[in-house]
């Protein structure tokens, strides 16, 4: 793991889980797989702290354990999974767009808690939804269960590996750590639960307040006595499926930008049809015939067969090669080139970065070298129609920032520099890696800056929160306007200004983090797809 | 001007055109030192290096003779000014390079400072102004040439932003957020009654108290926790000790208890002092007043 990634992981763990977990987590990421005692010894933390931290990390799928020879259990951290924590808001928002508020809350609960049983999720989500509803209305468990089942069917949530049921009672000592198994077919199998009930509000109206504490006590007792029907069956969010969804979204919007809405709809239909049949890491989808596509187009899209065929031909002939034609049966068999599409997206990202950083003329040179693969300096000047001096300057700038590289082609065996061709070229994979590394550094910087800003104004923030608390409590007890005014004036005008500035800055930094994370997703997908093909 | 071995004196250097004498001297002395691997310390005005075109390899390649020794060399900055020339090297100097300058002593005065390539080919014409030397590392916040593109705004962006901030706050409240424990206290010096021993009774009480928490405003909890942590703990220890005087059980280690209790107490900071007086009246009196507003 690079230093930048480790730094970013450390910041994320610290923000979300506290110092102790961060210390243990970062140590594990740095050193790889280690047993418990070694971790405690190396980090200097007490054994209890290490145990607690490891429990939290395992609960959130950030650390996995393995039993080695002689019964030693070793723990290994997964750095890439820690970096996914940046993307949680995006996952939750996607669930919201697909399955509305219920789906959003289900995914949020699963992400915040790592693993949960279905009944626990349903209960919590129903309670939360009930609170936001108007007085008197409650959320039924069945509705939440239905959404959960739909999420499982579309593979957005999956079961965690479980403890295998041993038929014969082994008289031997239990293993130090359970070996969890998972089978493909059972991964999305929802247990048959009859969850009957409604969501409860946490706070009832004022009349019930007195009766509640006493009523709750026996209720807690009964709750503990009931056996949980799906004990041991834990669910987690399936991040790969979300990534597949993001990738599809990116491809569709790219096609929409390049061509028009109809073609993007066609591509979206093709992707939807291949969701189940194609594994997410395949270089291209299964071939789909034009007839099938025509049948699967969304209802209400009045595109005739001929027009569809024309669109498909256009898409297949496009130099970007998102769609390819693989045969002629069934009216023409078409595939979507996922790997090429990811490559184009990564290239577009690189071009955009060059343009924003160095200017549009540099971008022109960059695109030129991309297109022609290898060019000499003289040729660059000629093709780009930029004066020699400026072209040279720009080339060297991009070379120094590692967007470009030099390829030497010697004319003579002694590699004399005066008799060697020096060609400029762009290696997309290495440039993508370099850019990804920079993205990690940027996010680490953004997080640090945000923490710095918050720390600087900590006193002011606390004061404003206290004032708000007082205001709210006084409003609840029905204070007069004059008193409220007095309390509000406790924060002076320049302080208000400062708070405004702080809020604006923090928002900007947060939004930038989200934006950089989108770039990270594209680049990582491209690199992963390329590495798989090699 | 160009550097190349003259026809008769193969391996010797000969200047074709006139170049400033100082330039020649500096170059030669520099290359001598390069041969002895004293470069990093002796180059005048060493500072930042900039990568230039690979053609500049020729300077060393031709001087040192064999191309294999030049693998991994990059000449970084080759500046001609009126007075001096600075050449920086990175990469490894091959120790097997023959002392070519020394052996080319015969070329002194004639082939000094000649290059194998045409300077114009690189693009530095004679008398051209070259970029100024960089004498210090690049600034921490380099001035941006182009302003960054504005961030995407709109409903989706704002929703995701709000969600992100909310998640951050929510995660701090979950039980997965482990707070560092209160440091170990020397119990020989403190009155014994301040020690917390019982856990069970406390646990029961907290479950009853939890439903009462929502009416309180939870925003300032966190901040006050960190500030008044120790002080509150002391006070709570006193009051809760009074309640549990009767039943004392030695459970786990002190540290464990303290840690656990501390986490419990942090959730109870809303109920300081007046609330814990006798542990009986949690009947909803003065839930949302006064004691909350300490500042």
């Amino acid at each position: 793991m690079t230093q930048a990634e480790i730094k970013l992981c450390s910041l994320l763990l610290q923000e979300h889980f506290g110092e102790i977990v961060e210390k243990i987590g970062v140590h594990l990421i740095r050193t790889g797989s280690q047993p418990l005692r070694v971790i405690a010894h190396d980090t200097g933390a007490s054994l209890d702290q290490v145990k607690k931290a490891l429990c939290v990390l395992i609960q959130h799928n950030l650390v996995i354990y393995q039993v080695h020879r002689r019964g030693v259990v070793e723990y290994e951290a997964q750095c890439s999974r820690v970096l996914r924590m940046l993307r949680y808001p995006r996952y939750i928002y996607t669930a919201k767009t697909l399955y509305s508020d219920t789906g959003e809350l289900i995914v949020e609960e699963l992400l915040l808690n790592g693993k949960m049983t279905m009944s626990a999720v349903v209960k919590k989500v129903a309670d939360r939804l009930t609170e936001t509803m108007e007085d008197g209305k409650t959320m039924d468990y069945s509705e939440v269960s239905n959404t959960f089942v739909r999420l499982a069917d579309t593979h957005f949530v999956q079961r965690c590996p479980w403890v295998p049921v041993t038929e014969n009672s082994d008289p031997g000592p239990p293993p130090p750590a359970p070996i969890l198994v998972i089978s493909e077919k059972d991964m999305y199998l929802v247990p048959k639960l009859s969850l009957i009930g409604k969501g409860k509000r946490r706070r009832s109206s004022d009349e019930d307040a007195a009766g509640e504490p006493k009523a709750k006590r026996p209720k807690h007792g009964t709750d503990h006595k009931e056996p949980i029907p799906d004990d041991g069956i834990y669910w987690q969010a399936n991040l790969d499926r979300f990534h597949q969804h993001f990738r599809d979204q990116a491809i569709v919007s790219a096609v929409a930008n390049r061509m028009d809405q109809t073609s993007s709809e066609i591509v979206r239909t093709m992707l939807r049809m291949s969701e189940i049949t194609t594994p997410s890491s395949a270089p291209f989808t299964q071939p789909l015939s034009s007839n099938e596509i025509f049948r699967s187009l969304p209802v209400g899209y009045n595109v005739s067969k001929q027009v569809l065929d024309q669109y498909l031909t256009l898409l297949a002939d496009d130099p970007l090669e998102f769609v390819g034609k693989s045969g002629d049966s069934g009216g023409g068999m078409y595939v979507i080139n996922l790997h090429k599409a990811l490559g184009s997206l990564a290239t577009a990202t690189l071009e955009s970065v060059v343009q924003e950083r160095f200017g549009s003329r540099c971008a022109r040179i960059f695109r030129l070298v991309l297109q022609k693969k290898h060019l000499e300096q003289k040729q660059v000047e000629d093709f780009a129609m930029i004066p020699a001096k400026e072209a040279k300057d720009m080339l060297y700038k991009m070379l120094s920032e590692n967007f470009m590289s030099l390829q030497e082609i010697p004319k003579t065996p002694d590699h004399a520099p005066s008799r060697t061709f020096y060609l400029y070229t762009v290696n997309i994979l290495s440039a993508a890696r370099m850019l990804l590394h920079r993205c990690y550094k940027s996010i680490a910087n953004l997080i640090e800056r945000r923490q710095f800003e918050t720390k600087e104004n900590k006193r002011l923030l606390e004061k404003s929160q206290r004032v708000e608390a007082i205001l709210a409590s006084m409003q609840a007890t029905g204070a007069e306007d004059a008193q409220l005014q007095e309390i509000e004036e406790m924060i002076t005008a320049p302080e208000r200004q400062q708070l405004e500035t702080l809020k604006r800055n923090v928002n900007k930094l947060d939004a930038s983090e989200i934006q950089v994370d989108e770039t990270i997703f594209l680049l990582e997908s491209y690199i992963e797809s390329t590495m798989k093909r090699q | 001007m160009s550097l190349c071995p003259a026809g008769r004196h193969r391996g010797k250097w000969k200047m074709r055109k006139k170049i400033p004498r100082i330039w020649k001297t500096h170059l030669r002395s520099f290359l001598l030192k390069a041969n002895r691997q004293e470069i990093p310390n002796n180059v005048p005005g060493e500072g930042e290096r900039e990568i230039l075109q690979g053609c500049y390899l020729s300077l060393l390649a031709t001087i040192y003779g064999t191309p294999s020794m030049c693998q991994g060399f990059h000449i970084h900055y080759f500046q001609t000014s009126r007075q001096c020339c600075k050449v920086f090297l990175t990469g490894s100097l091959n120790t097997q390079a023959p002392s070519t300058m020394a052996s080319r002593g015969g070329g002194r005065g004639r082939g000094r400072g000649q290059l194998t390539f045409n300077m114009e080919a690189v693009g530095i014409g004679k008398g051209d102004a070259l970029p100024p030397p960089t004498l210090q590392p690049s600034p921490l916040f380099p001035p941006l040439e182009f302003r960054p593109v504005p961030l995407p705004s709109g409903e989706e962006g704002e929703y995701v932003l709000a969600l992100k901030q909310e998640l951050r706050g929510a995660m701090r409240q979950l039980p997965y957020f482990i707070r560092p424990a209160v440091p170990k206290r020397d119990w020989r010096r403190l009155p014994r009654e301040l020690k917390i021993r019982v856990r069970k009774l406390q646990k029961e009480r907290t479950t009853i108290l939890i439903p009462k928490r929502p009416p309180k405003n939870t925003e300032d909890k966190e901040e006050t926790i960190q500030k008044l942590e120790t002080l509150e703990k002391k006070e709570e220890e006193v009051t809760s000790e009074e309640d549990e005087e009767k039943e004392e059980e030695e459970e786990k280690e002190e540290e464990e208890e303290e840690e656990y209790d501390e986490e419990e107490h942090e959730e109870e900071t809303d109920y300081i002092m007046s609330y814990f007086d006798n542990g009986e009246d949690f009947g909803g009196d003065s839930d949302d007043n006064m004691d909350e507003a300490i500042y």
Side-chain angles (χ1 to χ4, degrees):
Chain A
M1 293 288 111
T2 62
Q3 283 301 317
E5 285 177 32
I6 297 179
K7 174 103 176 72
L8 183 54
C9 286
S10 134
L11 284 168
L12 285 172
L13 284 175
Q14 185 191 15
E15 233 179 16
H16 291 132
F17 297 118
E19 299 270 345
I20 300 174
V21 177
E22 181 249 330
K23 194 160 57 163
I24 313 288
V26 167
H27 175 77
L28 271 177
I29 293 176
R30 271 214 181 98
T31 53
S33 171
Q34 288 202 322
L36 177 65
R37 301 229 161 250
V38 180
I39 301 175
H41 177 261
D42 284 345
T43 54
S46 77
L47 211 58
D48 280 330
Q49 284 180 333
V50 178
K51 286 181 193 169
K52 270 196 191 172
L54 281 174
C55 282
V56 169
L57 288 169
I58 293 176
Q59 169 76 16
H60 281 82
N61 307 313
L62 302 173
V63 158
I64 54 174
Y65 56 82
Q66 269 181 323
V67 187
H68 279 257
R69 49 180 177 61
R70 291 196 281 139
V72 173
V73 184
E74 288 200 345
Y75 302 91
E76 191 176 338
Q78 319 215 281
C79 180
S80 53
R81 180 63 179 80
V82 180
L83 295 173
R84 294 295 148 265
M85 290 177 72
L86 279 169
R87 221 167 277 163
Y88 281 3
R90 207 171 160 197
Y91 297 139
I92 299 174
Y93 182 73
T94 308
K96 186 193 175 81
T97 51
L98 292 174
Y99 295 100
S100 84
D101 286 342
T102 324
E104 175 194 4
L105 285 181
I106 291 178
V107 172
E108 187 178 330
E109 286 298 322
L110 279 176
L111 283 173
L112 284 183
N113 288 294
K115 305 193 212 339
M116 279 175 96
T117 58
M118 179 172 166
S119 38
V121 175
V122 168
K123 221 170 277 178
K124 249 194 177 168
V125 171
D127 287 343
R128 275 179 79 171
L129 281 171
T130 311
E131 273 186 42
T132 60
M133 290 166 105
E134 304 133 12
D135 284 326
K137 280 213 199 148
T138 52
M139 187 63 158
D140 213 9
Y141 280 8
S142 58
E143 214 175 301
V144 182
S145 307
N146 285 342
T147 319
F148 193 96
V149 170
R150 278 165 65 199
L151 276 168
D153 282 339
T154 43
H155 296 199
F156 278 108
V157 302
Q158 68 184 26
R159 271 165 86 157
C160 307
W162 56 89
V163 186
V165 181
T166 47
E167 286 92 21
N168 48 347
S169 54
D170 222 339
I179 315 268
L180 301 176
V181 299
I182 184 149
S183 65
E184 190 64 41
K185 59 180 175 56
D186 283 340
M187 205 144 58
Y188 305 103
L189 205 60
V190 182
K192 295 265 178 303
L193 297 176
S194 56
L195 289 169
I196 304 169
K198 294 190 186 301
K200 296 177 193 51
R201 283 176 195 280
R202 273 195 313 177
R203 1 170 348 186
S204 317
S205 50
D206 285 346
E207 299 97 55
D208 293 351
E212 236 187 47
K214 308 220 174 43
K216 281 264 179 169
R217 224 185 310 181
K219 216 173 245 183
H220 271 272
T222 47
D223 274 356
H224 289 315
K225 285 203 198 100
E226 271 172 27
I228 310 171
D230 58 346
D231 190 26
I233 304 181
Y234 289 91
W235 295 81
Q236 65 183 356
N238 184 5
L239 300 189
D240 281 332
R241 178 71 180 86
F242 279 104
H243 293 165
Q244 197 181 348
H245 186 263
F246 295 156
R247 185 199 63 196
D248 293 347
Q249 257 183 342
I251 294 179
V252 166
S253 69
V255 173
N257 281 341
R258 188 168 172 81
M259 301 179 76
D260 72 339
Q261 186 68 19
T262 322
S263 31
S264 75
E265 279 304 318
I266 298 173
V267 172
R268 195 201 302 269
T269 316
M270 288 173 79
L271 282 167
R272 202 168 352 112
M273 287 161 68
S274 346
E275 255 170 24
I276 323 289
T277 55
T278 318
S280 64
S281 53
F284 39 78
T285 62
Q286 298 290 327
L288 298 164
S289 73
S290 157
N291 298 329
E292 278 174 24
I293 302 174
F294 183 63
R295 274 198 298 270
S296 318
L297 275 180
V299 191
Y301 232 76
N302 47 355
V303 166
S304 71
K305 186 79 173 47
Q306 260 186 328
V307 174
L308 172 71
D309 281 336
Q310 282 175 346
Y311 266 115
L312 283 171
T313 326
L314 261 177
L315 279 168
D317 286 338
D318 191 64
L320 272 187
E321 292 187 28
F322 278 9
V323 176
K325 188 162 185 183
S326 73
D328 283 319
S329 62
M333 302 292 277
Y334 295 92
V335 293
I336 298 194
N337 293 320
L338 295 168
H339 175 67
K340 285 220 174 73
L342 283 173
S344 313
L345 288 169
T347 315
T349 312
L350 281 168
E351 282 174 19
S352 154
V353 169
V354 168
Q355 179 161 347
E356 294 305 326
R357 205 158 249 281
F358 302 119
S360 53
R361 298 174 106 189
C362 257
R364 193 154 95 216
I365 296 181
F366 187 78
R367 279 194 288 265
L368 183 69
V369 178
L370 259 176
Q371 194 184 6
K372 306 264 184 183
K373 304 280 187 284
H374 297 274
L375 280 181
E376 262 191 335
Q377 183 173 329
K378 195 81 182 44
Q379 287 174 310
V380 168
E381 289 161 18
D382 290 338
F383 281 125
M385 292 183 286
I386 292 178
K389 224 191 185 63
E390 290 170 32
K392 183 170 48 93
D393 199 30
M394 290 176 192
L395 278 170
Y396 294 163
K397 226 184 326 185
M398 283 195 279
L399 189 65
S400 72
E401 303 260 354
N402 288 325
F403 281 103
M404 292 222 201
S405 48
L406 272 179
Q407 172 73 40
E408 292 174 14
I409 303 189
K411 286 192 244 186
T412 54
D414 65 349
H415 285 256
S418 64
R419 292 185 288 273
T420 312
F421 287 118
Y422 290 97
L423 300 175
Y424 288 94
T425 180
V426 176
N427 183 351
I428 302 186
L429 186 61
S430 70
R433 280 216 169 97
M434 183 272 301
L435 193 59
L436 184 63
H437 187 252
R438 271 169 102 152
C439 285
Y440 289 138
K441 272 198 198 162
S442 329
I443 294 202
N445 287 348
L446 286 167
I447 295 179
E448 285 233 33
R449 181 73 198 197
R450 175 168 45 80
Q451 287 178 345
F452 171 76
E453 294 269 328
T454 330
K455 202 157 66 147
E456 282 268 295
N457 296 297
K458 195 166 158 190
R459 190 200 68 86
L460 193 57
L461 266 173
E462 284 165 14
K463 180 175 173 187
S464 83
Q465 278 168 351
R466 271 197 298 265
V467 167
E468 271 173 37
I470 301 171
L471 266 177
S473 64
M474 292 193 71
Q475 267 175 349
T477 55
E480 299 160 2
D481 277 336
Q483 283 179 314
L484 291 175
Q485 191 79 14
E486 218 178 282
I487 306 253
E488 266 178 25
E489 275 166 18
M490 282 192 329
I491 302 186
T492 63
E495 279 179 347
R496 248 179 242 283
Q497 191 88 15
Q498 214 177 333
L499 276 173
E500 273 299 312
T501 321
L502 171 69
K503 192 174 157 86
R504 205 177 44 232
N505 288 344
V506 168
N507 281 351
K508 215 188 273 193
L509 290 166
D510 268 329
S512 314
E513 276 176 48
I514 297 172
Q515 189 65 23
V516 179
D517 181 59
E518 286 186 25
T519 313
I520 285 184
F521 169 70
L522 280 176
L523 293 171
E524 270 182 359
S525 309
Y526 168 65
I527 292 174
E528 203 181 304
S529 164
T530 316
M531 297 318 294
K532 281 215 173 80
R533 300 199 66 200
Q534 284 181 359
Chain B
M1 64 200 132
S2 53
L3 262 183
C4 69
R8 275 181 306 145
H9 312 274
R10 203 186 291 177
K12 302 222 173 125
W13 297 103
K14 179 179 169 176
M15 279 301 299
R16 283 246 183 99
K17 294 183 189 170
K18 246 192 159 174
I19 56 167
R21 175 177 302 177
I22 294 262
W23 192 77
K24 288 185 266 181
T25 327
H26 272 270
L27 179 59
R28 193 167 0 107
S29 74
F30 170 77
L31 290 166
L32 275 169
K33 288 170 193 165
N35 196 30
R36 295 196 297 266
Q37 299 192 7
E38 290 170 20
I39 294 257
N41 303 318
N42 287 332
V43 168
E46 75 180 314
E48 268 314 287
R49 297 168 279 191
E50 292 173 30
I51 301 178
L52 263 192
Q53 193 179 2
C55 296
Y56 290 149
L57 284 172
S58 67
L59 180 64
L60 281 180
T62 45
I63 291 169
Y64 275 80
T66 53
S68 61
M69 292 170 195
C70 309
Q71 307 276 337
F73 276 21
H74 295 277
I75 296 191
H76 281 236
Y77 202 98
F78 186 70
Q79 175 199 24
T80 53
S81 67
R82 288 299 169 106
Q83 280 81 36
C84 63
C85 123
K86 298 166 194 175
V87 180
F88 299 88
L89 280 184
T90 55
S92 57
L93 275 174
N94 201 316
T95 49
Q96 290 158 13
S99 164
T100 49
M101 276 315 282
S103 66
R104 301 195 199 293
R108 199 164 304 180
R110 263 177 293 165
R112 283 183 282 179
Q114 279 178 343
L115 302 166
T116 50
F117 57 95
N118 209 353
M119 282 278 272
E120 273 107 15
V122 180
I124 305 177
K126 200 173 172 191
D128 240 357
L130 284 167
T134 37
L135 300 166
Q136 54 194 338
S138 48
L140 197 55
F141 294 106
L144 285 177
E145 270 178 56
F146 303 92
R147 289 212 61 137
V149 182
L151 294 163
S153 58
E155 206 187 299
E156 180 186 336
E158 288 184 17
Y159 187 83
V160 179
L161 181 66
L163 192 55
K164 185 180 166 79
Q165 289 171 339
E166 198 189 304
L167 273 179
R168 225 187 0 246
M171 284 200 100
R172 290 188 79 101
Q173 306 299 329
L174 283 176
Y176 305 111
F177 193 95
I178 302 183
R179 291 167 205 272
V182 173
K184 266 191 145 141
R185 299 213 173 82
D186 191 358
W187 289 109
R188 298 172 296 191
R189 299 173 54 100
L190 295 167
R192 203 177 306 165
E193 59 185 8
L194 295 180
K195 220 197 273 188
I196 297 202
R197 292 180 187 270
V198 189
R199 268 212 321 188
K200 278 201 176 146
L201 214 59
Q202 293 231 307
K203 199 168 173 179
E204 258 182 76
R205 285 194 20 251
T206 48
T207 51
I208 300 163
L209 291 170
I210 280 169
K212 289 305 227 156
R213 264 193 294 132
K216 295 284 184 170
N217 292 307
T218 53
E219 295 109 16
D220 57 341
K221 242 189 347 187
E222 216 192 287
E223 272 71 29
T224 44
I225 287 167
Q226 272 131 26
K227 279 200 314 192
L228 309 170
E229 196 172 293
T230 322
L231 187 59
E232 284 160 5
K233 205 169 166 5
K234 278 271 163 60
E235 290 164 347
E236 281 155 15
E237 282 170 4
V238 171
T239 50
S240 52
E241 264 301 304
E242 289 171 8
D243 293 330
E244 295 138 30
E245 261 173 355
K246 296 161 197 167
E247 302 156 4
E248 278 192 350
E249 293 170 39
E250 282 280 343
E251 293 224 351
K252 298 190 185 171
E253 323 105 50
E254 220 173 290
E255 186 192 22
E256 179 86 338
E257 274 183 315
E258 272 188 33
E259 219 176 336
Y260 181 76
D261 287 331
E262 178 205 323
E263 283 161 7
E264 294 271 29
H265 281 302
E266 285 177 27
E267 296 168 37
E268 294 177 26
T269 44
D270 300 334
Y271 302 86
I272 319 171
M273 288 193 276
S274 70
Y275 206 84
F276 268 141
D277 271 342
N278 39 8
E280 277 165 21
D281 54 337
F282 32 76
D285 64 335
S286 67
D287 273 352
D288 27 8
N289 275 354
M290 285 83 59
D291 294 317
E292 187 50 22
I294 310 170
Y295 59 93

